[in-house]
Amino acid sequence: MKTKLYLALFCVAFFWGTTFLAIRVGVETIPPFLLAGIRNLISSTLIFCYLFSQKKLEKVSLNQFFRAFILSILMIVLANGLTTYSEKYITSGLASLISTLTPFCVLIINLVLGFEKLSFKTIGGILLGMSGIFLIYQSSLSDLLIPEYRQGIFALLSAILAWSVGTIIMKRGSQKPLSMLMNVCVQMMIAGVVLTSLQFCLTPNISPENWSGRSIFAMVYLALFGSVVGYVAFSYLLTQLPSTKVVVLSYVNLVVALFLGWLILDEIITSRIILAATLIITGVVIVNYKKVK
């Protein structure tokens, strides 16, 4: 059991860190919502084929479909779709840095709903995290005047909110849940159809011949490692650990994403970014630290 848990932790921490780079490469030539849509259609098809071959397909009730639909819209269509859209206008490093706000967002929602209790430790951690965010924007407030940059930032913040709400709903569970893989398969299939349809509504004339080889490779990588491996591992972790603990892995994603963005895409890492990342990570650790009895 521990081996499976540690493997899932590694998959979420590492592979989801690489997805920020893959998304940035993918949207170079592929429309963002179509990239996210095809990614999920590929992933759901692979999982469906596996379940079919193992004779593990389940009958989906109306209530189960409705729950899967809500989670799909929140965690894939909005969270994944808007994150993909945001990286059309902002760097993968900045996207990963802002995404570390997810644990704070989950914590604040849990506090409002009464699932968590406010403490001095929590307040201190939140203040540290907010200080890191302030550092990010202190010297780049003027960038928000650029429409494309502003769209990217607001899209990513909306994605974080949607993911946080979805995480809490998923953690609450349901009375008659589908198996984890069947639930993920249904969610991805719904999201794939919605995202692909959305892109065709926005841009009816799409030219696949203009897609680069590396963008197509990035899309396949996202389907295999970002969706199948990463999302399945994340769903499993939510059955084993508190939601606030699972989303803490976003700060490991940050380290991976910043390094790969610098190594492959020549994205600049300044001392301000390093300090901001340190403050955010420290804040998240403080919020989630508990003494071992």
Side-chain angles (χ1 to χ4, degrees):
M1 181 64 72
K2 282 190 175 181
T3 302
K4 187 185 291 187
L5 182 65
Y6 292 145
L7 182 61
L9 285 167
F10 170 79
C11 289
V12 173
F14 178 76
F15 287 120
W16 270 3
T18 65
T19 58
F20 287 98
L21 171 68
I23 288 172
R24 181 68 174 172
V25 173
V27 296
E28 287 176 348
T29 59
I30 302 176
F33 295 125
L34 186 60
L35 171 64
I38 295 177
R39 162 189 176 177
N40 281 285
L41 287 175
I42 293 173
S43 303
S44 60
T45 302
L46 291 174
I47 296 174
F48 180 87
C49 290
Y50 170 77
L51 290 171
F52 180 78
S53 67
Q54 298 296 311
K55 297 181 179 179
K56 291 183 178 180
L57 287 174
E58 303 170 42
K59 185 177 180 180
V60 182
S61 70
L62 188 61
N63 287 336
Q64 289 170 333
F65 179 82
F66 179 73
R67 176 179 169 79
F69 180 82
I70 295 298
L71 288 172
S72 176
I73 295 299
L74 286 170
M75 304 195 71
I76 307 181
V77 174
L78 291 177
N80 180 253
L82 289 175
T83 297
T84 305
Y85 175 81
S86 74
E87 288 200 49
K88 186 76 176 175
Y89 306 110
I90 63 176
T91 65
S92 63
L94 181 58
S96 65
L97 188 55
I98 297 174
S99 292
T100 54
L101 284 173
T102 304
F104 293 111
C105 195
V106 171
L107 174 64
I108 290 170
I109 295 172
N110 276 328
L111 286 171
V112 172
L113 296 177
F115 299 146
E116 300 271 355
K117 292 183 179 180
L118 191 62
S119 65
F120 288 111
K121 176 172 69 72
T122 301
I123 295 172
I126 291 175
L127 289 176
L128 274 176
M130 293 302 104
S131 298
I133 295 300
F134 173 75
L135 270 181
I136 296 172
Y137 291 110
Q138 187 182 28
S139 61
S140 57
L141 286 175
S142 59
D143 290 341
L144 291 174
L145 297 176
I146 304 172
E148 291 80 8
Y149 181 85
R150 188 168 63 245
Q151 286 177 33
I153 295 297
F154 289 155
L156 188 54
L157 292 175
S158 300
I160 290 170
L161 178 59
W163 181 267
S164 301
V165 173
T167 297
I168 293 171
I169 293 175
M170 186 183 288
K171 182 61 183 175
R172 294 296 104 188
S174 63
Q175 292 182 343
K176 295 181 180 179
L178 293 168
S179 67
M180 182 186 68
L181 279 180
M182 188 67 194
N183 187 40
V184 169
C185 180
V186 174
Q187 287 183 41
M188 288 181 176
M189 199 167 291
I190 293 169
V193 172
V194 172
L195 285 164
T196 303
S197 302
L198 175 61
Q199 188 67 71
F200 276 103
C201 288
L202 294 174
T203 52
N205 299 318
I206 294 174
S207 305
E209 63 271 13
N210 295 328
W211 299 356
S212 68
R214 74 179 208 156
S215 287
I216 294 173
F217 176 80
M219 180 170 62
V220 174
Y221 178 88
L222 286 167
L224 295 177
F225 293 97
S227 295
V228 174
V229 176
Y231 196 62
V232 169
F234 177 81
S235 300
Y236 170 74
L237 287 176
L238 282 178
T239 66
Q240 305 296 315
L241 299 171
S243 58
T244 49
K245 294 288 186 290
V246 178
V247 293
V248 159
L249 292 171
S250 62
Y251 73 75
V252 182
N253 299 161
L254 168 64
V255 175
V256 174
L258 284 175
F259 174 74
L260 291 177
W262 167 78
L263 181 67
I264 299 176
L265 298 180
D266 296 324
E267 293 179 356
I268 299 172
I269 300 178
T270 64
S271 57
R272 182 185 294 274
I273 288 177
I274 294 174
L275 179 57
T278 302
L279 286 172
I280 293 171
I281 291 173
T282 304
V284 172
V285 171
I286 289 175
V287 165
N288 290 275
Y289 174 77
K290 287 185 180 179
K291 291 183 179 180
V292 179
K293 294 183 180 179

